[in-house]
Amino acid sequence: MTSRSNKRRRVSSVDSKRDDSSDSEVFETSATAWAAASGRRTSNDNDSPSKRASISPPSARSFAQETHGHVAKSKTTVAGKSMASNLGSSFLRGGNNTSHAPKSMTSPIQLSTVNGLPASNNIATVSLSDILGDPLIKECWLFNYCFDIDFVMSQLDDDTRDLVQVKIVHGSWKTEDSNRLHIEEAAKRYQNLQTITAYMAEMYGTHHSKMIILFRHDGQAQVNITTGNFLVRDWSMSQAVWRSPLLPLQLSPPLPNHATSPLSIGSGLRFKQDLLAYLKAYGHSRTGSLTAELARYDFSSIRAALIASVPGKQNLRSIDPEQGTLWGWPALRHILSFIKSTSAEAKPHIVMQCSSVASIGEKWMQDTFLKALAVTSVPPTPQRPGFSLVFPTADEVRRSVDGYVSGGSIHMKTQNAAQMKQLAYLKPMLCHWAGDHESRSERDKIGSNPLPVRQALRRRAAPHIKTYIRFSDQSMAKIDWAMMTSANLSKQAWGEATSAGGEVRICSYEIGVVVWPALWDEGDETEMVPVFGKDMPDAEAINDEELDEETEPQSAVGETANDDGEETTDEESGKGIRAQRIAEKVEAKRKRRRVGLRMPYDLPLVPYAKDEMPWCAAIPCTEPDWTGRTWPGFHAS
């Protein structure tokens, strides 16, 4: 077998995709027509990734400013390739820790490889071929909204591509749907590929989940959840990936998962229960064989809670969440009720970041969704958190790797009176995706102290990722919990407000994971911290300032006796107490575990200025992007 680097066929084209919001189908034809008329590449072009990576936007002639002071070091750095691609969910690493530094663990959520960025910005990232290109894969189930079948198949190993049993699960149920027609036409070229149309109980919903389930020849399985459609263009944008460890066959009755009891939130057993319940929602004729096969595997190594949505209505009064599976915002509220807040005194901050904001209404946002996000276990009862919403401006879309084309996947309507009223409510929460405009220096302050910019190295990769993160306080140095999901900010994804009869209506399929520090507790204190440009947190040794905090105790001058009956001065006794306190602090910190959480955006956040507006794909943009193209708007003739 030849080398994977020589064998893997790389596709660097751009294909059109639909908007993630429920009303996105109207945009698809216009976006596709614009791409064709403007000469955009398609998946049949032979344009290599190296050619694309060699072109930089004029507004970002060099990525030196973004990477200045943050040059990553890696012995395995290769341009266009991801590093540490087989990390799985979490591994304990020593790294460069000193004997007094806490144990560090890699981020359970990884970012995707973006070919248009330099290799130093793609440390420890994951490409679609990293997931699908293993020759040990024998069966592959792919769940998504949009598919480029040829692109997906090109990511499989060259020698086994025709042998892997590939199942494509999509939600394009209308016979005349262009996405369905493209999928069915392309599927005819592959005898080992089967298409499955998801049952859509709600006609205005979408099959928006993005998941890959793999079965391998070595008797193991793996669950992969991502935020990207299976289109070339999506993988030139910022995406996220959660990968389970390799799951062995279940050889004995399940045992409790480390610090959690069977079926408790965050345990592998509960994750398995909820995932099987999700798959059963498709119906036995569609996913029955998958559900039966996956039930044979051991999920005990997983440390995460599954958060999903399925179309239909659920009555909250008739479901016991300890035994059954909730969907949408009720499921999120239930999961968060088990996660404690780090501090009862500090004001936490929740950052929502998505690629599409639908028509949601202030009442639903305030009384349903934000209220669910604010839930925490008690005691203690913390302060009500602050909220931010990260979303790109037209300038940030224009300067991205794919320029305006990326904007075809990012949606917030700002045209009519109702939409502008919603924007007025959201505007105080809006923050920049890249935040590297000229006015940033005036906003990076808390009080009078300027804050250093922690760079995620994703400014030029437009966001299709969806994350929701609760930071412990306003400094955003520690994280209470983090969620990566396919769900944007919409009622279709999360569910309507509870009806008078106790029902919650959901329109779409969605899937994601929630992680928090206590999942890694093994008798020691664990904290989750944001990491930038890498997956591992830095070693945190005791510093001199912390030692200086242990000042000598003040006492009257005199003499005392130690344990051996020897006379000592109060000064000597004070030094002994200080030394003991230092030793206790060092030991406590040595035992502490630190879990990294890979950040997709820079911190601190940069709020919108009064005159700044979020990107709206329906509004034309006459200023050319770095490719020289303008944006006609989806409704332009």
Side-chain angles (χ1 to χ4, degrees):
M1 187 178 296
T2 59
S3 168
R4 281 289 299 156
S5 61
N6 293 329
K7 289 165 40 187
R8 185 176 298 162
R9 180 170 36 157
R10 305 289 298 187
V11 182
S12 61
S13 59
V14 175
D15 198 358
S16 62
K17 104 180 229 315
R18 300 198 219 177
D19 171 26
D20 288 344
S21 60
S22 62
D23 54 1
S24 63
E25 291 188 12
V26 70
F27 293 148
E28 177 65 9
T29 303
S30 299
T32 305
W34 175 83
S38 60
R40 288 300 301 178
R41 291 178 293 266
T42 67
S43 57
N44 294 323
D45 292 338
N46 296 316
D47 190 11
S48 69
S50 60
K51 290 181 181 178
R52 290 189 67 223
S54 66
I55 303 175
S56 298
S59 55
R61 292 179 178 86
S62 169
F63 288 90
Q65 289 184 346
E66 187 168 340
T67 58
H68 178 65
H70 198 134
V71 179
K73 298 178 176 65
S74 173
K75 294 180 180 179
T76 59
T77 300
V78 180
K81 291 280 290 180
S82 64
M83 273 59 72
S85 61
N86 295 316
L87 291 175
S89 179
S90 63
F91 292 95
L92 178 62
R93 291 185 179 180
N96 296 320
N97 296 353
T98 67
S99 60
H100 297 307
K103 304 165 187 176
S104 297
M105 281 157 287
T106 190
S107 173
I109 295 171
Q110 295 176 272
L111 298 183
S112 63
T113 304
V114 179
N115 288 331
L117 298 180
S120 59
N121 291 26
N122 279 323
I123 301 296
T125 56
V126 180
S127 67
L128 190 57
S129 60
D130 290 326
I131 301 173
L132 296 178
D134 193 328
L136 287 178
I137 296 172
K138 69 174 182 180
E139 186 175 337
C140 173
W141 287 73
L142 298 107
F143 297 73
N144 219 314
Y145 180 47
C146 289
F147 290 83
D148 177 340
I149 297 297
D150 293 329
F151 170 62
V152 169
M153 296 301 289
S154 74
Q155 306 303 297
L156 297 170
D157 181 84
D158 289 347
D159 287 348
T160 62
R161 181 178 298 122
D162 297 333
L163 303 176
V164 178
Q165 296 303 305
V166 179
K167 317 288 186 180
I168 299 292
V169 183
H170 64 91
S172 300
W173 57 274
K174 295 180 181 179
T175 305
E176 69 278 9
D177 190 295
S178 60
N179 187 50
R180 176 172 183 161
L181 295 175
H182 288 312
I183 291 173
E184 292 180 347
E185 182 63 29
K188 296 176 182 178
R189 297 192 286 271
Y190 304 96
Q191 295 183 351
N192 55 322
L193 188 147
Q194 176 187 353
T195 63
I196 299 169
T197 305
Y199 171 66
M200 300 301 300
E202 296 284 343
M203 67 177 298
Y204 295 110
T206 58
H207 182 258
H208 201 243
S209 295
K210 303 165 193 318
M211 178 170 61
I212 303 171
I213 298 177
L214 304 174
F215 296 102
R216 296 159 50 94
H217 288 287
D218 58 4
Q220 300 183 98
Q222 187 180 47
V223 179
N224 301 265
I225 297 173
T226 182
T227 61
N229 288 287
F230 297 141
L231 302 172
V232 178
R233 186 181 71 188
D234 270 36
W235 293 82
S236 292
M237 302 176 71
S238 290
Q239 308 286 2
V241 180
W242 176 87
R243 309 178 72 185
S244 79
L246 293 179
L247 309 174
L249 286 166
Q250 188 87 55
L251 300 179
S252 59
L255 297 174
N257 182 17
H258 32 267
T260 57
S261 59
L263 300 185
S264 64
I265 296 296
S267 70
L269 292 176
R270 180 56 188 251
F271 188 101
K272 180 178 182 178
Q273 171 186 290
D274 293 340
L275 178 58
L276 295 181
Y278 170 82
L279 294 174
K280 289 177 182 177
Y282 286 85
H284 182 77
S285 62
R286 296 173 179 84
T287 56
S289 62
L290 171 61
T291 305
E293 179 64 18
L294 203 57
R296 301 174 57 229
Y297 288 83
D298 181 359
F299 281 62
S300 61
S301 59
I302 289 179
R303 308 185 191 209
L306 189 79
I307 176 74
S309 296
V310 299
K313 296 178 180 179
Q314 56 181 343
N315 193 310
L316 302 185
R317 298 172 184 173
S318 62
I319 299 177
D320 178 3
E322 299 299 323
Q323 302 296 325
T325 299
L326 293 171
W327 311 116
W329 67 259
L332 177 62
R333 182 182 63 180
H334 181 65
I335 292 171
L336 299 184
S337 70
F338 289 88
I339 304 175
K340 68 178 182 179
S341 177
T342 301
S343 172
E345 293 77 26
K347 182 179 177 63
H349 199 88
I350 296 176
V351 180
M352 304 168 284
Q353 177 274 308
C354 59
S355 61
S356 181
V357 178
S359 299
I360 49 180
E362 181 176 348
K363 182 173 177 57
W364 179 87
M365 184 72 168
Q366 184 69 38
D367 296 344
T368 299
F369 192 65
L370 295 187
K371 190 175 181 179
L373 283 176
V375 168
T376 184
S377 66
V378 291
T381 302
Q383 298 185 42
R384 180 171 173 79
F387 292 94
S388 293
L389 173 59
V390 173
F391 200 87
T393 61
D395 175 68
E396 290 166 330
V397 170
R398 178 168 48 248
R399 292 187 291 131
S400 67
V401 168
D402 270 349
Y404 284 129
V405 174
S406 296
S409 303
I410 303 171
H411 299 279
M412 184 189 296
K413 294 182 179 180
T414 58
Q415 292 177 292
N416 61 38
Q419 293 161 0
M420 290 303 295
K421 182 179 179 181
Q422 175 171 295
L423 177 61
Y425 170 69
L426 295 176
K427 192 68 178 287
M429 291 186 277
L430 282 172
C431 294
H432 283 268
W433 166 256
D436 54 353
H437 49 84
E438 296 178 356
S439 60
R440 170 153 201 161
S441 61
E442 296 301 318
R443 305 176 194 176
D444 290 350
K445 297 180 180 180
I446 291 182
S448 59
N449 298 319
L451 295 175
V453 178
R454 293 174 282 173
Q455 297 184 23
L457 309 181
R458 281 294 181 273
R459 293 175 181 172
R460 298 286 77 81
H464 191 263
I465 184 175
K466 306 101 170 64
T467 58
Y468 302 77
I469 302 174
R470 177 183 172 119
F471 293 93
S472 303
D473 56 36
Q474 299 299 300
S475 70
M476 300 186 180
K478 295 182 182 180
I479 293 171
D480 287 343
W481 55 259
M483 175 170 59
M484 182 215 83
T485 173
S486 62
N488 283 302
L489 194 51
S490 74
K491 295 179 183 179
Q492 292 85 357
W494 291 105
E496 297 276 359
T498 308
S499 70
E503 288 185 333
V504 174
R505 176 193 176 198
I506 297 175
C507 292
S508 298
Y509 288 94
E510 307 281 358
I511 199 161
V513 294
V514 182
V515 294
W516 60 96
L519 296 177
W520 285 266
D521 279 351
E522 294 184 359
D524 301 321
E525 179 186 357
T526 304
E527 64 181 17
M528 183 173 284
V529 296
V531 291
F532 301 82
K534 57 186 178 180
D535 281 356
M536 286 288 289
D538 291 329
E540 186 190 31
I542 295 288
N543 56 47
D544 292 339
E545 292 181 358
E546 289 180 290
L547 297 183
D548 289 342
E549 292 175 1
E550 299 296 344
T551 56
E552 297 180 16
Q554 302 295 317
S555 62
V557 177
E559 295 183 348
T560 58
N562 61 20
D563 292 341
D564 296 327
E566 299 174 347
E567 291 186 352
T568 62
T569 66
D570 287 339
E571 181 180 0
E572 291 172 338
S573 177
K575 289 180 178 179
I577 294 173
R578 179 173 182 270
Q580 181 179 354
R581 289 177 177 174
I582 291 174
E584 289 173 352
K585 177 173 283 191
V586 169
E587 179 64 15
K589 205 161 192 178
R590 184 188 67 80
K591 289 182 177 180
R592 187 167 65 206
R593 295 170 178 267
R594 304 183 81 219
V595 180
L597 194 283
R598 182 71 174 265
M599 294 300 299
Y601 46 81
D602 296 357
L603 291 178
L605 299 175
V606 181
Y608 275 34
K610 291 182 179 180
D611 60 341
E612 289 179 322
M613 295 285 288
W615 163 260
C616 176
I619 296 179
C621 294
T622 57
E623 182 178 346
D625 64 15
W626 68 272
T627 69
R629 295 184 177 91
T630 58
W631 180 253
F634 275 139
H635 293 297
S637 58

